[in-house]
mmCIF file of all heavy atoms in Angstrom:
data_model
loop_
_atom_site.group_PDB
_atom_site.id
_atom_site.type_symbol
_atom_site.label_atom_id
_atom_site.label_comp_id
_atom_site.label_asym_id
_atom_site.label_seq_id
_atom_site.Cartn_x
_atom_site.Cartn_y
_atom_site.Cartn_z
ATOM 1 N N GLY A 292 0.821 -1.205 0.000
ATOM 2 C CA GLY A 292 0.000 0.000 0.000
ATOM 3 C C GLY A 292 0.849 1.246 0.000
ATOM 4 O O GLY A 292 2.079 1.183 0.100
ATOM 5 N N THR A 293 0.179 2.373 -0.112
ATOM 6 C CA THR A 293 0.844 3.668 -0.068
ATOM 7 C C THR A 293 0.031 4.613 0.800
ATOM 8 O O THR A 293 -1.163 4.404 1.035
ATOM 9 C CB THR A 293 0.983 4.285 -1.475
ATOM 10 O OG1 THR A 293 -0.317 4.452 -2.036
ATOM 11 C CG2 THR A 293 1.853 3.436 -2.374
ATOM 12 N N SER A 294 0.712 5.649 1.245
ATOM 13 C CA SER A 294 0.066 6.706 2.012
ATOM 14 C C SER A 294 0.831 7.995 1.750
ATOM 15 O O SER A 294 2.017 7.958 1.419
ATOM 16 C CB SER A 294 0.079 6.362 3.501
ATOM 17 O OG SER A 294 -0.565 7.373 4.244
ATOM 18 N N PHE A 295 0.164 9.115 1.896
ATOM 19 C CA PHE A 295 0.845 10.400 1.743
ATOM 20 C C PHE A 295 0.226 11.409 2.695
ATOM 21 O O PHE A 295 -0.905 11.246 3.148
ATOM 22 C CB PHE A 295 0.769 10.909 0.298
ATOM 23 C CG PHE A 295 -0.592 11.409 -0.086
ATOM 24 C CD1 PHE A 295 -0.908 12.748 0.038
ATOM 25 C CD2 PHE A 295 -1.551 10.533 -0.568
ATOM 26 C CE1 PHE A 295 -2.179 13.206 -0.307
ATOM 27 C CE2 PHE A 295 -2.816 10.975 -0.919
ATOM 28 C CZ PHE A 295 -3.125 12.316 -0.782
ATOM 29 N N ALA A 296 1.000 12.437 3.003
ATOM 30 C CA ALA A 296 0.512 13.535 3.842
ATOM 31 C C ALA A 296 1.275 14.802 3.504
ATOM 32 O O ALA A 296 2.432 14.755 3.094
ATOM 33 C CB ALA A 296 0.678 13.190 5.319
ATOM 34 N N ASN A 297 0.609 15.933 3.682
ATOM 35 C CA ASN A 297 1.207 17.247 3.468
ATOM 36 C C ASN A 297 1.023 18.081 4.723
ATOM 37 O O ASN A 297 0.010 17.954 5.416
ATOM 38 C CB ASN A 297 0.527 17.978 2.306
ATOM 39 C CG ASN A 297 0.678 17.266 0.993
ATOM 40 O OD1 ASN A 297 1.732 16.706 0.712
ATOM 41 N ND2 ASN A 297 -0.361 17.280 0.180
ATOM 42 N N ALA A 298 1.982 18.932 5.000
ATOM 43 C CA ALA A 298 1.874 19.897 6.097
ATOM 44 C C ALA A 298 2.663 21.138 5.703
ATOM 45 O O ALA A 298 3.746 21.035 5.130
ATOM 46 C CB ALA A 298 2.419 19.306 7.391
ATOM 47 N N SER A 299 2.120 22.291 6.005
ATOM 48 C CA SER A 299 2.800 23.541 5.632
ATOM 49 C C SER A 299 3.415 24.198 6.863
ATOM 50 O O SER A 299 3.039 23.909 7.998
ATOM 51 C CB SER A 299 1.818 24.494 4.962
ATOM 52 O OG SER A 299 0.802 24.860 5.867
ATOM 53 N N TYR A 300 4.362 25.078 6.588
ATOM 54 C CA TYR A 300 4.951 25.888 7.660
ATOM 55 C C TYR A 300 5.387 27.233 7.102
ATOM 56 O O TYR A 300 5.704 27.361 5.924
ATOM 57 C CB TYR A 300 6.107 25.165 8.356
ATOM 58 C CG TYR A 300 7.340 24.923 7.511
ATOM 59 C CD1 TYR A 300 8.417 25.806 7.536
ATOM 60 C CD2 TYR A 300 7.428 23.795 6.694
ATOM 61 C CE1 TYR A 300 9.555 25.573 6.773
ATOM 62 C CE2 TYR A 300 8.566 23.563 5.928
ATOM 63 C CZ TYR A 300 9.618 24.449 5.977
ATOM 64 O OH TYR A 300 10.738 24.220 5.213
ATOM 65 N N ASP A 301 5.361 28.237 7.967
ATOM 66 C CA ASP A 301 5.774 29.583 7.581
ATOM 67 C C ASP A 301 7.291 29.699 7.635
ATOM 68 O O ASP A 301 7.940 29.115 8.496
ATOM 69 C CB ASP A 301 5.152 30.625 8.505
ATOM 70 C CG ASP A 301 3.648 30.724 8.332
ATOM 71 O OD1 ASP A 301 3.158 30.408 7.226
ATOM 72 O OD2 ASP A 301 2.962 31.109 9.298
ATOM 73 N N PHE A 302 7.827 30.474 6.729
ATOM 74 C CA PHE A 302 9.265 30.710 6.635
ATOM 75 C C PHE A 302 9.550 32.118 7.153
ATOM 76 O O PHE A 302 8.819 33.061 6.841
ATOM 77 C CB PHE A 302 9.704 30.579 5.168
ATOM 78 C CG PHE A 302 11.186 30.594 4.963
ATOM 79 C CD1 PHE A 302 11.930 29.457 5.193
ATOM 80 C CD2 PHE A 302 11.825 31.745 4.537
ATOM 81 C CE1 PHE A 302 13.309 29.455 4.989
ATOM 82 C CE2 PHE A 302 13.197 31.762 4.328
ATOM 83 C CZ PHE A 302 13.936 30.615 4.563
ATOM 84 N N SER A 303 10.596 32.257 7.954
ATOM 85 C CA SER A 303 10.936 33.567 8.501
ATOM 86 C C SER A 303 12.412 33.880 8.254
ATOM 87 O O SER A 303 13.130 33.083 7.660
ATOM 88 C CB SER A 303 10.636 33.602 10.002
ATOM 89 O OG SER A 303 11.610 32.866 10.713
ATOM 90 N N GLN A 304 12.852 35.013 8.778
ATOM 91 C CA GLN A 304 14.249 35.410 8.645
ATOM 92 C C GLN A 304 15.135 34.724 9.692
ATOM 93 O O GLN A 304 16.344 34.856 9.643
ATOM 94 C CB GLN A 304 14.375 36.935 8.794
ATOM 95 C CG GLN A 304 13.639 37.711 7.723
ATOM 96 C CD GLN A 304 14.178 37.439 6.325
ATOM 97 O OE1 GLN A 304 15.361 37.211 6.144
ATOM 98 N NE2 GLN A 304 13.301 37.438 5.342
ATOM 99 N N GLN A 305 14.552 34.001 10.614
ATOM 100 C CA GLN A 305 15.305 33.347 11.679
ATOM 101 C C GLN A 305 15.566 31.892 11.322
ATOM 102 O O GLN A 305 14.636 31.106 11.174
ATOM 103 C CB GLN A 305 14.551 33.432 12.997
ATOM 104 C CG GLN A 305 14.337 34.855 13.450
ATOM 105 C CD GLN A 305 13.529 34.925 14.724
ATOM 106 O OE1 GLN A 305 13.050 33.925 15.223
ATOM 107 N NE2 GLN A 305 13.368 36.131 15.246
ATOM 108 N N ARG A 306 16.825 31.562 11.175
ATOM 109 C CA ARG A 306 17.204 30.223 10.718
ATOM 110 C C ARG A 306 16.720 29.126 11.659
ATOM 111 O O ARG A 306 16.176 28.118 11.225
ATOM 112 C CB ARG A 306 18.718 30.149 10.542
ATOM 113 C CG ARG A 306 19.154 28.896 9.823
ATOM 114 C CD ARG A 306 20.614 28.923 9.575
ATOM 115 N NE ARG A 306 21.286 28.501 10.800
ATOM 116 C CZ ARG A 306 22.478 27.972 10.840
ATOM 117 N NH1 ARG A 306 23.176 27.837 9.746
ATOM 118 N NH2 ARG A 306 23.006 27.591 11.962
ATOM 119 N N PHE A 307 16.931 29.283 12.967
ATOM 120 C CA PHE A 307 16.514 28.253 13.919
ATOM 121 C C PHE A 307 15.001 28.062 13.900
ATOM 122 O O PHE A 307 14.500 26.936 13.950
ATOM 123 C CB PHE A 307 16.980 28.592 15.339
ATOM 124 C CG PHE A 307 16.597 27.546 16.335
ATOM 125 C CD1 PHE A 307 17.252 26.326 16.369
ATOM 126 C CD2 PHE A 307 15.564 27.775 17.224
ATOM 127 C CE1 PHE A 307 16.888 25.344 17.276
ATOM 128 C CE2 PHE A 307 15.193 26.796 18.135
ATOM 129 C CZ PHE A 307 15.858 25.583 18.168
ATOM 130 N N ALA A 308 14.261 29.163 13.798
ATOM 131 C CA ALA A 308 12.801 29.066 13.727
ATOM 132 C C ALA A 308 12.372 28.280 12.493
ATOM 133 O O ALA A 308 11.417 27.489 12.547
ATOM 134 C CB ALA A 308 12.175 30.456 13.722
ATOM 135 N N ASN A 309 13.078 28.459 11.386
ATOM 136 C CA ASN A 309 12.748 27.721 10.162
ATOM 137 C C ASN A 309 13.007 26.229 10.318
ATOM 138 O O ASN A 309 12.220 25.404 9.857
ATOM 139 C CB ASN A 309 13.555 28.270 8.982
ATOM 140 C CG ASN A 309 13.134 29.666 8.611
ATOM 141 O OD1 ASN A 309 11.992 30.057 8.821
ATOM 142 N ND2 ASN A 309 14.059 30.437 8.085
ATOM 143 N N VAL A 310 14.124 25.887 10.955
ATOM 144 C CA VAL A 310 14.442 24.470 11.182
ATOM 145 C C VAL A 310 13.370 23.832 12.055
ATOM 146 O O VAL A 310 12.876 22.733 11.764
ATOM 147 C CB VAL A 310 15.845 24.322 11.811
ATOM 148 C CG1 VAL A 310 16.091 22.889 12.273
ATOM 149 C CG2 VAL A 310 16.915 24.748 10.823
ATOM 150 N N ARG A 311 12.997 24.502 13.134
ATOM 151 C CA ARG A 311 11.971 23.960 14.041
ATOM 152 C C ARG A 311 10.618 23.864 13.345
ATOM 153 O O ARG A 311 9.881 22.898 13.534
ATOM 154 C CB ARG A 311 11.852 24.814 15.305
ATOM 155 C CG ARG A 311 13.012 24.701 16.247
ATOM 156 C CD ARG A 311 13.316 23.284 16.719
ATOM 157 N NE ARG A 311 12.135 22.541 17.068
ATOM 158 C CZ ARG A 311 12.051 21.215 17.052
ATOM 159 N NH1 ARG A 311 13.078 20.486 16.699
ATOM 160 N NH2 ARG A 311 10.939 20.616 17.390
ATOM 161 N N ALA A 312 10.266 24.872 12.557
ATOM 162 C CA ALA A 312 8.986 24.862 11.852
ATOM 163 C C ALA A 312 8.933 23.714 10.846
ATOM 164 O O ALA A 312 7.911 23.030 10.718
ATOM 165 C CB ALA A 312 8.753 26.199 11.158
ATOM 166 N N GLN A 313 10.044 23.477 10.133
ATOM 167 C CA GLN A 313 10.082 22.377 9.182
ATOM 168 C C GLN A 313 9.956 21.032 9.902
ATOM 169 O O GLN A 313 9.203 20.166 9.474
ATOM 170 C CB GLN A 313 11.356 22.398 8.356
ATOM 171 C CG GLN A 313 11.401 21.269 7.340
ATOM 172 C CD GLN A 313 12.638 21.307 6.458
ATOM 173 O OE1 GLN A 313 13.484 22.208 6.557
ATOM 174 N NE2 GLN A 313 12.747 20.336 5.564
ATOM 175 N N ARG A 314 10.680 20.861 11.002
ATOM 176 C CA ARG A 314 10.579 19.608 11.759
ATOM 177 C C ARG A 314 9.174 19.380 12.288
ATOM 178 O O ARG A 314 8.671 18.261 12.274
ATOM 179 C CB ARG A 314 11.573 19.600 12.919
ATOM 180 C CG ARG A 314 12.953 19.335 12.449
ATOM 181 C CD ARG A 314 13.687 18.448 13.416
ATOM 182 N NE ARG A 314 14.996 18.163 12.884
ATOM 183 C CZ ARG A 314 16.104 18.235 13.565
ATOM 184 N NH1 ARG A 314 16.068 18.562 14.834
ATOM 185 N NH2 ARG A 314 17.251 17.956 12.996
ATOM 186 N N ASP A 315 8.539 20.431 12.769
ATOM 187 C CA ASP A 315 7.173 20.309 13.266
ATOM 188 C C ASP A 315 6.239 19.873 12.142
ATOM 189 O O ASP A 315 5.392 18.994 12.334
ATOM 190 C CB ASP A 315 6.706 21.634 13.870
ATOM 191 C CG ASP A 315 5.290 21.553 14.390
ATOM 192 O OD1 ASP A 315 5.028 20.723 15.287
ATOM 193 O OD2 ASP A 315 4.431 22.318 13.887
ATOM 194 N N ALA A 316 6.390 20.465 10.969
ATOM 195 C CA ALA A 316 5.555 20.079 9.823
ATOM 196 C C ALA A 316 5.825 18.622 9.428
ATOM 197 O O ALA A 316 4.888 17.862 9.138
ATOM 198 C CB ALA A 316 5.804 21.017 8.645
ATOM 199 N N GLU A 317 7.096 18.215 9.417
ATOM 200 C CA GLU A 317 7.428 16.822 9.102
ATOM 201 C C GLU A 317 6.812 15.872 10.124
ATOM 202 O O GLU A 317 6.285 14.815 9.761
ATOM 203 C CB GLU A 317 8.944 16.639 9.071
ATOM 204 C CG GLU A 317 9.620 17.298 7.898
ATOM 205 C CD GLU A 317 11.138 17.349 8.030
ATOM 206 O OE1 GLU A 317 11.667 17.083 9.123
ATOM 207 O OE2 GLU A 317 11.797 17.654 7.016
ATOM 208 N N ASN A 318 6.869 16.240 11.400
ATOM 209 C CA ASN A 318 6.299 15.391 12.455
ATOM 210 C C ASN A 318 4.784 15.277 12.318
ATOM 211 O O ASN A 318 4.221 14.189 12.503
ATOM 212 C CB ASN A 318 6.665 15.934 13.837
ATOM 213 C CG ASN A 318 8.136 15.779 14.149
ATOM 214 O OD1 ASN A 318 8.860 15.048 13.473
ATOM 215 N ND2 ASN A 318 8.593 16.486 15.161
ATOM 216 N N ARG A 319 4.120 16.380 11.989
ATOM 217 C CA ARG A 319 2.666 16.331 11.797
ATOM 218 C C ARG A 319 2.306 15.420 10.622
ATOM 219 O O ARG A 319 1.370 14.612 10.711
ATOM 220 C CB ARG A 319 2.108 17.737 11.569
ATOM 221 C CG ARG A 319 2.056 18.567 12.843
ATOM 222 C CD ARG A 319 1.426 19.935 12.629
ATOM 223 N NE ARG A 319 2.417 20.827 12.029
ATOM 224 C CZ ARG A 319 2.212 21.560 10.951
ATOM 225 N NH1 ARG A 319 1.065 21.534 10.321
ATOM 226 N NH2 ARG A 319 3.167 22.344 10.481
ATOM 227 N N ALA A 320 3.042 15.538 9.532
ATOM 228 C CA ALA A 320 2.776 14.692 8.362
ATOM 229 C C ALA A 320 3.096 13.230 8.674
ATOM 230 O O ALA A 320 2.370 12.322 8.253
ATOM 231 C CB ALA A 320 3.584 15.181 7.162
ATOM 232 N N ALA A 321 4.165 12.978 9.428
ATOM 233 C CA ALA A 321 4.535 11.602 9.793
ATOM 234 C C ALA A 321 3.443 10.964 10.638
ATOM 235 O O ALA A 321 3.115 9.779 10.456
ATOM 236 C CB ALA A 321 5.866 11.589 10.534
ATOM 237 N N THR A 322 2.869 11.715 11.560
ATOM 238 C CA THR A 322 1.782 11.192 12.396
ATOM 239 C C THR A 322 0.562 10.850 11.546
ATOM 240 O O THR A 322 -0.087 9.820 11.756
ATOM 241 C CB THR A 322 1.424 12.199 13.501
ATOM 242 O OG1 THR A 322 2.575 12.390 14.332
ATOM 243 C CG2 THR A 322 0.261 11.712 14.349
ATOM 244 N N GLN A 323 0.254 11.690 10.559
ATOM 245 C CA GLN A 323 -0.869 11.405 9.660
ATOM 246 C C GLN A 323 -0.629 10.114 8.888
ATOM 247 O O GLN A 323 -1.539 9.274 8.750
ATOM 248 C CB GLN A 323 -1.084 12.554 8.680
ATOM 249 C CG GLN A 323 -1.632 13.806 9.304
ATOM 250 C CD GLN A 323 -1.729 14.951 8.301
ATOM 251 O OE1 GLN A 323 -1.342 14.824 7.137
ATOM 252 N NE2 GLN A 323 -2.246 16.075 8.749
ATOM 253 N N ILE A 324 0.585 9.939 8.387
ATOM 254 C CA ILE A 324 0.901 8.715 7.642
ATOM 255 C C ILE A 324 0.814 7.499 8.558
ATOM 256 O O ILE A 324 0.252 6.468 8.182
ATOM 257 C CB ILE A 324 2.288 8.818 6.976
ATOM 258 C CG1 ILE A 324 2.181 9.726 5.760
ATOM 259 C CG2 ILE A 324 2.823 7.445 6.581
ATOM 260 C CD1 ILE A 324 3.462 9.910 4.994
ATOM 261 N N ALA A 325 1.365 7.591 9.755
ATOM 262 C CA ALA A 325 1.316 6.463 10.690
ATOM 263 C C ALA A 325 -0.125 6.067 10.987
ATOM 264 O O ALA A 325 -0.455 4.873 11.010
ATOM 265 C CB ALA A 325 2.057 6.812 11.976
ATOM 266 N N ASN A 326 -0.990 7.045 11.207
ATOM 267 C CA ASN A 326 -2.398 6.738 11.473
ATOM 268 C C ASN A 326 -3.057 6.063 10.277
ATOM 269 O O ASN A 326 -3.829 5.112 10.433
ATOM 270 C CB ASN A 326 -3.158 8.012 11.848
ATOM 271 C CG ASN A 326 -2.772 8.546 13.204
ATOM 272 O OD1 ASN A 326 -2.289 7.816 14.068
ATOM 273 N ND2 ASN A 326 -2.964 9.840 13.404
ATOM 274 N N ASP A 327 -2.752 6.529 9.081
ATOM 275 C CA ASP A 327 -3.329 5.951 7.870
ATOM 276 C C ASP A 327 -2.835 4.517 7.648
ATOM 277 O O ASP A 327 -3.635 3.614 7.375
ATOM 278 C CB ASP A 327 -2.995 6.831 6.669
ATOM 279 C CG ASP A 327 -3.660 6.345 5.391
ATOM 280 O OD1 ASP A 327 -4.890 6.150 5.398
ATOM 281 O OD2 ASP A 327 -2.942 6.161 4.390
ATOM 282 N N VAL A 328 -1.528 4.311 7.775
ATOM 283 C CA VAL A 328 -0.969 2.963 7.585
ATOM 284 C C VAL A 328 -1.515 2.011 8.636
ATOM 285 O O VAL A 328 -1.895 0.879 8.326
ATOM 286 C CB VAL A 328 0.581 3.002 7.606
ATOM 287 C CG1 VAL A 328 1.162 1.599 7.647
ATOM 288 C CG2 VAL A 328 1.107 3.765 6.400
ATOM 289 N N ARG A 329 -1.585 2.449 9.881
ATOM 290 C CA ARG A 329 -2.121 1.603 10.957
ATOM 291 C C ARG A 329 -3.553 1.176 10.640
ATOM 292 O O ARG A 329 -3.917 0.018 10.791
ATOM 293 C CB ARG A 329 -2.092 2.343 12.278
ATOM 294 C CG ARG A 329 -2.692 1.534 13.416
ATOM 295 C CD ARG A 329 -2.699 2.353 14.703
ATOM 296 N NE ARG A 329 -3.353 1.634 15.763
ATOM 297 C CZ ARG A 329 -4.628 1.792 16.099
ATOM 298 N NH1 ARG A 329 -5.384 2.641 15.430
ATOM 299 N NH2 ARG A 329 -5.157 1.111 17.083
ATOM 300 N N THR A 330 -4.369 2.114 10.190
ATOM 301 C CA THR A 330 -5.758 1.805 9.862
ATOM 302 C C THR A 330 -5.838 0.797 8.720
ATOM 303 O O THR A 330 -6.622 -0.164 8.787
ATOM 304 C CB THR A 330 -6.517 3.093 9.484
ATOM 305 O OG1 THR A 330 -6.476 3.997 10.595
ATOM 306 C CG2 THR A 330 -7.960 2.804 9.107
ATOM 307 N N LYS A 331 -5.034 0.981 7.693
ATOM 308 C CA LYS A 331 -5.053 0.062 6.548
ATOM 309 C C LYS A 331 -4.592 -1.339 6.939
ATOM 310 O O LYS A 331 -5.196 -2.333 6.542
ATOM 311 C CB LYS A 331 -4.191 0.611 5.411
ATOM 312 C CG LYS A 331 -4.779 1.828 4.737
ATOM 313 C CD LYS A 331 -3.841 2.427 3.699
ATOM 314 C CE LYS A 331 -4.481 3.629 3.022
ATOM 315 N NZ LYS A 331 -3.583 4.271 2.064
ATOM 316 N N VAL A 332 -3.522 -1.416 7.729
ATOM 317 C CA VAL A 332 -2.999 -2.737 8.154
ATOM 318 C C VAL A 332 -3.986 -3.402 9.095
ATOM 319 O O VAL A 332 -4.261 -4.601 8.967
ATOM 320 C CB VAL A 332 -1.602 -2.584 8.802
ATOM 321 C CG1 VAL A 332 -1.176 -3.869 9.478
ATOM 322 C CG2 VAL A 332 -0.592 -2.165 7.755
ATOM 323 N N ALA A 333 -4.546 -2.655 10.041
ATOM 324 C CA ALA A 333 -5.510 -3.230 10.983
ATOM 325 C C ALA A 333 -6.760 -3.740 10.259
ATOM 326 O O ALA A 333 -7.260 -4.829 10.573
ATOM 327 C CB ALA A 333 -5.896 -2.196 12.032
ATOM 328 N N ALA A 334 -7.234 -2.980 9.285
ATOM 329 C CA ALA A 334 -8.405 -3.429 8.508
ATOM 330 C C ALA A 334 -8.087 -4.700 7.739
ATOM 331 O O ALA A 334 -8.900 -5.624 7.680
ATOM 332 C CB ALA A 334 -8.857 -2.321 7.563
ATOM 333 N N PHE A 335 -6.898 -4.758 7.141
ATOM 334 C CA PHE A 335 -6.512 -5.952 6.410
ATOM 335 C C PHE A 335 -6.441 -7.165 7.331
ATOM 336 O O PHE A 335 -6.988 -8.235 7.027
ATOM 337 C CB PHE A 335 -5.157 -5.746 5.723
ATOM 338 C CG PHE A 335 -4.633 -6.991 5.074
ATOM 339 C CD1 PHE A 335 -5.096 -7.380 3.826
ATOM 340 C CD2 PHE A 335 -3.708 -7.797 5.717
ATOM 341 C CE1 PHE A 335 -4.636 -8.548 3.225
ATOM 342 C CE2 PHE A 335 -3.246 -8.958 5.140
ATOM 343 C CZ PHE A 335 -3.700 -9.337 3.891
ATOM 344 N N LEU A 336 -5.779 -7.009 8.477
ATOM 345 C CA LEU A 336 -5.644 -8.137 9.407
ATOM 346 C C LEU A 336 -6.979 -8.564 9.997
ATOM 347 O O LEU A 336 -7.209 -9.743 10.222
ATOM 348 C CB LEU A 336 -4.655 -7.776 10.523
ATOM 349 C CG LEU A 336 -3.202 -7.604 10.081
ATOM 350 C CD1 LEU A 336 -2.333 -7.124 11.235
ATOM 351 C CD2 LEU A 336 -2.642 -8.891 9.489
ATOM 352 N N ALA A 337 -7.860 -7.618 10.227
ATOM 353 C CA ALA A 337 -9.184 -7.939 10.784
ATOM 354 C C ALA A 337 -10.036 -8.730 9.803
ATOM 355 O O ALA A 337 -10.831 -9.578 10.213
ATOM 356 C CB ALA A 337 -9.911 -6.660 11.203
ATOM 357 N N THR A 338 -9.873 -8.453 8.522
ATOM 358 C CA THR A 338 -10.705 -9.137 7.523
ATOM 359 C C THR A 338 -10.063 -10.386 6.957
ATOM 360 O O THR A 338 -10.718 -11.164 6.268
ATOM 361 C CB THR A 338 -11.044 -8.185 6.353
ATOM 362 O OG1 THR A 338 -9.839 -7.724 5.747
ATOM 363 C CG2 THR A 338 -11.866 -7.016 6.844
#
């Protein structure tokens, strides 16, 4: 199977803020993918 997720973040003049904002967006998208994959695998195993 496949899964995808998107998350946006604002870009500023502060380098550290940009790194943290990007990581936060990546973490939010990763959580969405994990939830989707878990649901697909659980449904498959249940049936």
Side-chain angles (χ1 to χ4, degrees):
T293 60
S294 181
F295 73 93
N297 298 322
S299 63
Y300 67 95
D301 292 333
F302 189 79
S303 74
Q304 297 298 327
Q305 298 177 355
R306 191 175 81 155
F307 181 73
N309 292 332
V310 170
R311 289 303 317 155
Q313 181 177 358
R314 284 219 177 133
D315 180 60
E317 290 168 348
N318 291 346
R319 285 183 281 129
T322 298
Q323 289 176 358
I324 285 181
N326 290 336
D327 185 53
V328 170
R329 177 183 176 264
T330 300
K331 290 175 179 177
V332 169
F335 174 81
L336 293 175
T338 59

